[in-house]
Amino acid sequence: MYKVNVMNPCSCFIKNGLWDTQDFNTKEEAKKEAESLFKKMQTAFCSKHEFIMSEQFGSYTIQTKSRH
């Protein structure tokens, strides 16, 4: 099982009704969803936060950090 996790979801993420944890059967599905979600977060959300994506063993984590 492969996962996409969003750590410290911001209010834009919550308002969009997105899931902070998703499970996938294949590494490719997880990668596709993580990349799509990451792109959406970078382009459609307010610019109060920055997002950092990392991968480990086919599972993806997107971290939300406040911009100073």
Side-chain angles (χ1 to χ4, degrees), residues 36-46 51:
S36 174
L37 182 58
F38 185 69
K39 183 177 180 180
K40 180 177 184 171
M41 291 171 78
Q42 288 185 311
T43 59
F45 289 7
C46 71
F51 307 101

Side-chain angles (χ1 to χ4, degrees), residues 41-60:
M41 291 171 78
Q42 288 185 311
T43 59
F45 289 7
C46 71
S47 58
K48 293 180 183 177
H49 300 96
E50 68 177 289
F51 307 101
I52 301 165
M53 184 169 66
S54 60
E55 182 269 337
Q56 186 174 18
F57 307 114
S59 289
Y60 293 82

Side-chain angles (χ1 to χ4, degrees), residues 8 57 64:
N8 304 321
F57 307 114
T64 304

Side-chain angles (χ1 to χ4, degrees), residues 1-2 7 12 18 33 40 43 46 54 56:
M1 182 84 36
Y2 302 94
M7 305 300 289
C12 292
L18 300 169
E33 178 61 24
K40 180 177 184 171
T43 59
C46 71
S54 60
Q56 186 174 18

Side-chain angles (χ1 to χ4, degrees), residues 1-5 19-37 57-60:
M1 182 84 36
Y2 302 94
K3 295 185 178 288
V4 174
N5 295 307
W19 296 92
D20 58 354
T21 301
Q22 298 179 65
D23 297 323
F24 298 91
N25 291 323
T26 68
K27 196 183 299 189
E28 293 78 21
E29 289 175 314
K31 181 179 180 180
K32 183 177 177 182
E33 178 61 24
E35 289 174 344
S36 174
L37 182 58
F57 307 114
S59 289
Y60 293 82

